Amino acid sequence: METTLRGVGVSHGVAIGEVRHMGTAVLEPPAKQIPVEEAEREQGRARQAVEAVAADLIARGNLAGGEAQHVLEAQAMMAQDPELIADVERRIAVGSTAERGVYDAFAAYRALLANAGEYLAGRVADLDDVRNRIVARLLGVPMPGVPDSDQPYVLIARDLAPADTALLDPTLVLGFVTEEGGPTSHSAILARALGVPAVVALPGAGEIAEGTVVAVDGSTGEIFVEPSQEKRAEMESASAARKAALSAVTGPGATSDGHKVPLLANVGGPGDVPAAVEAGAEGVGLFRTEFLFLDDSKQAPSEEKQTAAYRAVLEAFPEGRVVVRVLDAGADKPLDFLTPADEPNPALGVRGLRSLLDHPDVLRTQLTALARAAEGLPVYLEVMAPMVADRADAKAFADACREAGLQAKFGAMVEIPSAALRARSILQEVEFLSLGTNDLAQYTFAADRQVGAVSRLQDPWQPALLDLVALSADAARAEGKSCGVCGEAASDPLLACVLTGLGVTSLSMGAASIPYVRATLAKHTLAQCERAASAARAADSAEEARLAAQAVLSGE
């Protein structure tokens, strides 16, 4: 009998197939005491397992490439955290086995983060995955991971760690469903990059029996368990029509009446560029430079290394627009040489621009490298600061750019509600705004962007969030400047129309989403987008906003 479940759709497309469940390692090793004379040997076993898992994560990253590589390298750093390793060895010294010492140390770290309310608590899936891999290696049991199958299937898991998501084979994994996670989690972002339909934050998904046929709609978030033949045919027909529509629309982003909306790509480095170019990106709307710094948490990359990486991206878009975000460190991206180790809540502490202003030499080196990378290229370089709170922040960043001799436009990211509320003031110091809707939602609703339990408040359709977008866009229009969106909200084709109607001047997203957004914009006029935006803002919930906008754009 067909039943319908609803989660949060995070990656477009339709998948129909049998369910396979994610395999997991033994989560809790036995608690037994070892003689004191065995402690040194057990400590050695623990260190070897940690290094082996870190090496495996790096190897997986090298195979995956692109943004996935940077995520997995960050996860390898998590495995090698000196404080965690020291805690493991301390526990072994007082009688724990290597595997139990690892398990208990990670459990304590996990609880500490959760109780402190830190932003890093949102990386629980990553932390648990590292722990499971180390414990599995010590116990000699299979690593957690995707099931072995030579037939295509729909994968169901409690959550997917980046190490698993990055190496999904799209020819076998038709789509995936998770019980946890949110629309801006690592797994969701990587799913969009892979082009695999995905639904997250679906409680009870793990109860769907192995082998059950399900139909997954990554756009609506609907899961149809044991779908009828009619439902399958309906979804397959809609999917085919969608693909045909995508291939029929090419060229720059624009509404049906010719209002231009440049469609840009979010990239983490040179490895993400080929997919962006293939998707027809008109440039880069968010170059996340922090991944270059995560290669070594103890020191910043040299000016020469930065220059080479930046130039590789700039050269890919001759006469295009490339928006670079300077280093966004802190919170879930700690760097030993830059961010404080003892902050009670790093998400609300010294992160982003605040870290850079405390370390002007790091900012100066990055800006100088960007200036050198752009020399002689016809690219339109724009550089923006993360976590700008007010005009003083914007001025400090603009002054630093000028002092470094950077020939580019300077901008500010709107990720803090104060920046949206005082956008016109900030625009007295910079030339453009870029809305980071992921963090803006997190700070507006006090809802960690990685926690599935509060995914309702992370939904970019929330009317309060749309109000802040409108405030920012109105301020930019009044000042004759631009206001783009580089958060994940831009990857939702329907929401892209609403954002256009709110006055947003460009949209940046993962490369896989660009064709969907291009095709949807091309079906509607600017006036329709504006009416849809008004209808969405008049609603009282995210779901009502989505339905109201959909009704306007479908002519109901």
Side-chain angles (χ1 to χ4, degrees):
M1 178 179 175
E2 179 181 310
T3 57
T4 304
L5 306 173
R6 181 182 287 275
V8 178
V10 296
S11 184
H12 306 298
V14 169
I16 302 174
E18 291 187 1
V19 163
R20 296 287 182 274
H21 287 273
M22 172 69 74
T24 59
V26 175
L27 293 183
E28 185 170 0
K32 62 180 182 180
Q33 292 292 108
I34 59 169
V36 174
E37 59 269 21
E38 293 183 15
E40 188 173 344
R41 179 179 64 84
E42 288 295 287
Q43 289 172 340
R45 286 182 63 227
R47 285 192 296 270
Q48 289 175 359
V50 166
E51 291 304 318
V53 166
D56 177 64
L57 290 167
I58 291 171
R60 285 169 175 259
N62 291 336
L63 285 173
E67 185 167 322
Q69 180 174 2
H70 303 302
V71 171
L72 291 174
E73 287 173 350
Q75 201 179 14
M77 287 171 53
M78 183 184 291
Q80 297 169 304
D81 183 281
E83 291 186 14
L84 264 174
I85 293 173
D87 190 22
V88 170
E89 294 189 344
R90 181 185 63 79
R91 292 172 186 274
I92 293 173
V94 295
S96 288
T97 61
E99 47 267 34
R100 188 70 203 192
V102 168
Y103 180 86
D104 289 341
F106 271 78
Y109 188 44
R110 190 182 197 273
L112 177 66
L113 295 177
N115 291 336
E118 295 187 7
Y119 180 57
L120 186 56
R123 294 288 186 254
V124 164
D126 300 23
L127 191 66
D128 287 349
D129 181 61
V130 171
R131 176 202 65 198
N132 287 349
R133 289 176 185 278
I134 297 171
V135 171
R137 188 170 189 88
L138 288 165
L139 290 175
V141 301
M143 290 286 179
V146 297
D148 290 328
S149 175
D150 52 10
Q151 297 296 318
Y153 59 90
V154 173
L155 180 64
I156 289 184
R158 183 172 183 80
D159 205 345
L160 281 172
D164 299 313
T165 316
L167 295 184
L168 291 179
D169 182 351
T171 64
L172 287 176
V173 181
L174 302 171
F176 67 75
V177 181
T178 66
E179 294 190 62
E180 298 291 335
T184 60
S185 64
H186 274 156
S187 293
I189 293 171
L190 294 176
R192 285 187 284 271
L194 288 167
V196 177
V199 173
V200 301
L202 180 66
E207 297 173 11
I208 302 175
E210 185 94 359
T212 302
V213 174
V214 296
V216 179
D217 190 326
S219 299
T220 65
E222 292 176 305
I223 308 294
F224 301 95
V225 181
E226 298 288 8
S228 64
Q229 289 299 325
E230 291 78 10
K231 175 58 71 175
R232 291 197 202 190
E234 175 189 327
M235 294 183 71
E236 289 170 349
S237 175
S239 179
R242 189 178 298 163
K243 289 179 180 178
L246 294 180
S247 61
V249 181
T250 58
T255 58
S256 62
D257 55 343
H259 175 72
K260 293 184 178 179
V261 187
L263 302 181
L264 312 171
N266 295 343
V267 304
D272 293 333
V273 167
V277 172
E278 184 180 351
E282 298 167 58
V284 172
L286 173 61
F287 181 178
R288 301 182 178 97
T289 60
E290 61 269 19
F291 291 121
L292 183 64
F293 288 75
L294 290 172
D295 288 345
D296 184 351
S297 70
K298 301 191 182 303
Q299 63 181 359
S302 67
E303 183 179 315
E304 289 70 27
K305 181 177 180 180
Q306 291 188 54
T307 300
Y310 302 151
R311 193 170 181 90
V313 174
L314 296 177
E315 287 177 335
F317 296 95
E319 301 185 6
R321 177 186 179 200
V322 175
V323 184
V324 178
R325 179 176 70 190
V326 294
L327 176 60
D328 183 16
D332 65 329
K333 293 166 283 192
L335 295 171
D336 293 346
F337 66 90
L338 195 68
T339 50
D342 57 352
E343 284 189 302
N345 192 340
L348 302 179
V350 183
R351 62 168 296 198
L353 179 61
R354 299 167 188 174
S355 293
L356 293 175
L357 294 179
D358 280 352
H359 297 80
D361 54 323
V362 175
L363 177 58
R364 188 181 308 111
T365 299
Q366 182 171 27
L367 295 174
T368 303
L370 284 165
R372 287 179 55 192
E375 286 177 359
L377 297 180
V379 68
Y380 296 95
L381 176 62
E382 301 184 9
V383 182
M384 61 186 182
M387 301 300 291
V388 170
D390 57 15
R391 182 173 179 172
D393 278 352
K395 183 179 187 304
F397 176 66
D399 287 346
C401 289
R402 282 188 283 268
E403 289 170 9
L406 189 62
Q407 299 298 309
K409 285 187 175 182
F410 316 140
M413 291 197 70
V414 178
E415 301 166 285
I416 304 173
S418 65
L421 294 168
R422 301 290 294 172
R424 196 160 183 180
S425 171
I426 288 172
L427 284 166
Q428 304 310 303
E429 305 294 343
V430 295
E431 298 172 84
F432 69 93
L433 300 177
S434 183
L435 287 142
T437 52
N438 305 350
D439 269 326
L440 186 57
Q442 172 174 250
Y443 289 123
T444 298
F445 297 103
D448 192 307
R449 55 189 273 196
Q450 302 296 327
V451 177
V454 292
S455 61
R456 173 181 77 83
L457 297 172
Q458 301 156 359
D459 193 326
W461 281 95
Q462 284 285 356
L465 188 66
L466 299 181
D467 287 344
L468 293 176
V469 173
L471 278 174
S472 303
D474 287 346
R477 185 187 301 111
E479 294 295 327
K481 297 179 179 180
S482 63
C483 177
V485 169
C486 63
E488 292 302 313
S491 66
D492 179 335
L494 185 63
L495 186 50
C497 292
V498 168
L499 295 172
T500 298
L502 291 174
V504 166
T505 55
S506 66
L507 299 166
S508 189
M509 64 208 76
S513 298
I514 291 176
Y516 290 91
V517 173
R518 181 190 292 120
T520 304
L521 276 174
K523 294 192 295 185
H524 305 290
T525 66
L526 176 59
Q528 287 176 309
C529 292
E530 290 172 340
R531 289 197 297 273
S534 295
R537 289 183 67 191
D540 290 320
S541 71
E543 183 61 21
E544 289 175 9
R546 183 184 290 106
L547 292 174
Q550 194 168 31
V552 171
L553 294 175
S554 63
E556 295 177 7

